[in-house]
Each structure stands twice: as structure tokens, then as C-alpha cells.
Amino acid sequence: MTILSGKRGLIMGVANESSAAWGIAKKASELGAELAFTYQMPAFEKRLAPLADSIGADILIPCDVSEENASKIAMEQLSKHWTEIDFVVHAVGFSDKQQLRGAYYNTTRDNFKQTMLISTFSFTELAQASSMMMPNGGSLLTLSYLGGVKTTPNYNVMGVAKAALEASVRYLAVDLGGRNIRVNGVSAGPMKTLAGAAISGARGIFRHSEQNAPLGRNPDIYEVGNAACYLLSDLSSGVTGEIHYVDGGFNNVGVPASDV
Ligand code: NAD
């Protein structure tokens, strides 16, 4: 028996094998979970299919969260395969790359709405839809970044979206706690993914975090996966509404020792 044996979960956000969602899926599978996946668009299905196949998963459902009722429709499709699920991972984020540079105040109204809809509101919608398939409780998990609580260069509207996402974690934890559904977030340090590369100066931020984190490195997607599995499993049965950092300790540093 391993910590996710007998549990079924849905993973949203695998774009390729570098995705944080893939690190979580791989570790969850190793720890005994049976998984289903959603993908944003057909081009991503082609990359997801062999990865899912490598861990024996064959339920792949389209879900573009910018579309009306996308999560609800995806959960309806999932319910044709499984009647209940134990956990959901939301590893989705998007903002116009052109606005992940320069001043935050240049964010356009359209991109603000789009960023908040895809990166923040989609988690609330997913929580509502997936909780219907959790009659015996469950665990919901999303991914955040330090830029939601402190400023980091060029993160701009994504930082504002992550702040709202972290607040959503707390509100959803209260909404769903009575049904024994726990809601948490992992705030990961910089990882080299498609979304990570969209932020202007990503390499410099990666290097700075690596050099100044107490562990002297950034996390990889599998370390994020390990921490996620704790939050998805019954080992964290008393934990909800939390944002758990997996960043080599970087968020704890005020003045970096290397600067003195
Ligand atoms: P990624 O590019 O591999 O994953 C982002 C995912 O978002 C992709 O699978 C993409 O298909 C999905 N997505 C975007 N728009 C969507 C839409 N309209 N509908 C459905 N899915 C959509 O990058 P990642 O770094 O693995 O990102 C996953 C999460 O981790 C994001 O929330 C990101 O903000 C967060 N995060 C990333 C880092 C980092 O340094 N890479 C650090 C902390 C947190």
C-alpha cells in the first residue's frame, strides 16, 4: 500500500513532459493513484497521450477553461468513466506574453479579464464541478508562485491573478470543509516550463532564486509532485486552506546572504 493507493484523480495542465502537472502526475501514479487528464487543445492531446499511456492512463478529456462551463462539461465526461473521484490538480495559467514585461499598469482590460478567467476563476469553477463527484470528501490542489504575495519582476497581472487564486483557496476551503473536501495550493519556485518561459527575464529570476534559496537550487517538477502528493493524500487530512511553498526555502529569505 502506498499513500495514493485506491485513489482516483483528475490532472489539468499537462502541456508536455516539463509541465509541473506532469511532475505531479508521475509521482501520484508512482504512489498508487489512478489518473485521468484534461488537455487544452488537440495539439496538446498529441503530446499528452504518450505520457498518459506511460503510466497506464487512458481517460483524456478536452477542456479549454476559457470556454463557458468547460469544467462542468469535462466533469460530465469524466463521470461516464468514474462515478467518484478523490482529488483534482489545477495547474493552469495564462496571460498575454507581451504584458509579462515592463510596467504592470500597462495591463489591458482584455488581458486582465482573460488572465483572471483562465488562471484564477477556472479553479473556482473546477472546484464547484469536481466537488459533485466527491461525496466522501476529497482534495483540490492548485499551483501558485511567490509573485502573488511579493512583487517579482515582470510577473505583473499574473501576480495579481495568483493573489486572487490564493484567496480563492482559502474561501473554497471554508465552502467545502463541511463536506470533507480540502483545498490547498503549492507555491513553487521557478521551473523551466512553457508558462515559466513566457515571463520576461525568466532566466535571471531563475538564477537569482537558485543562488539565494537556502537549498541553493530551485525545485524540479518531481519535487513539486512529491509535496503535491502529500496534499492529495490522507497524510494531510487535517490540512486545508494552506499555501505550501516548494521553492528551496527562497520565500523565507529577506536579505540574501550573498549580498552582504
Ligand atoms: P505549462 O506551460 O507546462 O502548463 C500550463 C498549462 O496551462 C498548460 O498545460 C496549458 O495547456 C494550460 N492552459 C493555459 N490556458 C488554458 C486554457 N484556456 N484552458 C485549459 N488549460 C490552459 O507551465 P507550468 O509552469 O507547468 O504551469 C502550471 C502552473 O504552475 C501554472 O498555474 C503556473 O502559473 C504555475 N507555476 C509555474 C511556475 C514556473 O516557474 N514554471 C512556478 C510557480 C507556479
Side-chain angles (χ1 to χ4, degrees):
M1 281 286 282
T2 42
I3 61 168
L4 293 175
S5 292
K7 293 208 185 280
R8 285 178 159 170
L10 177 70
I11 310 270
M12 180 179 274
V14 177
N16 58 34
E17 65 184 356
S18 302
S19 294
W22 178 244
I24 297 171
K26 188 84 175 29
K27 289 294 171 182
S29 165
E30 284 171 18
L31 290 169
E34 197 181 345
L35 301 176
F37 293 86
T38 66
Y39 57 90
Q40 182 188 351
M41 56 174 105
F44 286 8
E45 185 189 11
K46 288 196 193 108
R47 278 183 260 156
L48 170 62
L51 293 172
D53 188 53
S54 73
I55 57 168
D58 58 6
I59 305 174
L60 310 182
I61 298 167
C63 182
D64 178 340
V65 298
S66 65
E67 288 173 7
E68 197 79 23
N69 289 325
S71 289
K72 189 165 170 259
I73 294 165
M75 296 313 294
E76 281 166 6
Q77 290 204 28
L78 182 61
S79 68
K80 291 181 187 154
H81 303 271
W82 297 341
T83 50
E84 293 178 19
I85 54 169
D86 301 289
F87 64 83
V88 168
V89 174
H90 171 272
V92 166
F94 176 81
S95 186
D96 179 354
K97 199 176 161 184
Q98 300 309 320
Q99 296 183 28
L100 297 176
R101 60 178 66 222
Y104 165 62
Y105 61 60
N106 288 326
T107 305
T108 62
R109 179 180 285 243
D110 276 352
N111 186 46
F112 188 91
K113 285 197 280 190
Q114 174 92 331
T115 305
M116 293 295 278
L117 178 68
I118 295 175
S119 312
T120 305
F121 183 65
S122 64
F123 184 56
T124 296
E125 241 178 1
L126 180 64
Q128 194 203 39
S130 63
S131 64
M132 302 301 176
M133 285 182 74
M134 296 178 172
N136 301 309
S139 176
L140 310 179
L141 186 73
T142 189
L143 289 188
S144 192
Y145 176 60
L146 182 65
V149 292
K150 303 264 163 102
T151 65
T152 63
N154 303 315
Y155 204 55
N156 296 353
V157 64
M158 272 307 293
V160 175
K162 291 301 191 194
L165 180 67
E166 294 188 9
S168 308
V169 165
R170 293 184 281 275
Y171 278 92
L172 291 168
V174 171
D175 287 350
L176 296 168
R179 290 155 61 188
N180 197 30
I181 298 173
R182 299 180 296 105
V183 188
N184 293 290
V186 162
S187 182
M191 298 168 287
K192 290 180 178 165
T193 64
L194 287 179
I199 298 143
S200 181
R203 274 193 210 159
I205 293 162
F206 189 92
R207 214 171 32 245
H208 176 87
S209 309
E210 178 173 68
Q211 284 167 354
N212 294 300
L215 292 181
R217 60 188 171 79
N218 292 313
D220 66 29
I221 58 169
Y222 302 109
E223 290 178 301
V224 169
N226 283 334
C229 287
Y230 153 74
L231 290 168
L232 299 175
S233 79
D234 296 341
L235 288 182
S236 60
S237 59
V239 180
T240 194
E242 290 294 329
I243 305 298
H244 179 71
Y245 283 86
V246 183
D247 65 347
F250 180 74
N251 74 94
N252 293 305
V253 175
V255 179
S258 59
D259 285 0
V260 179

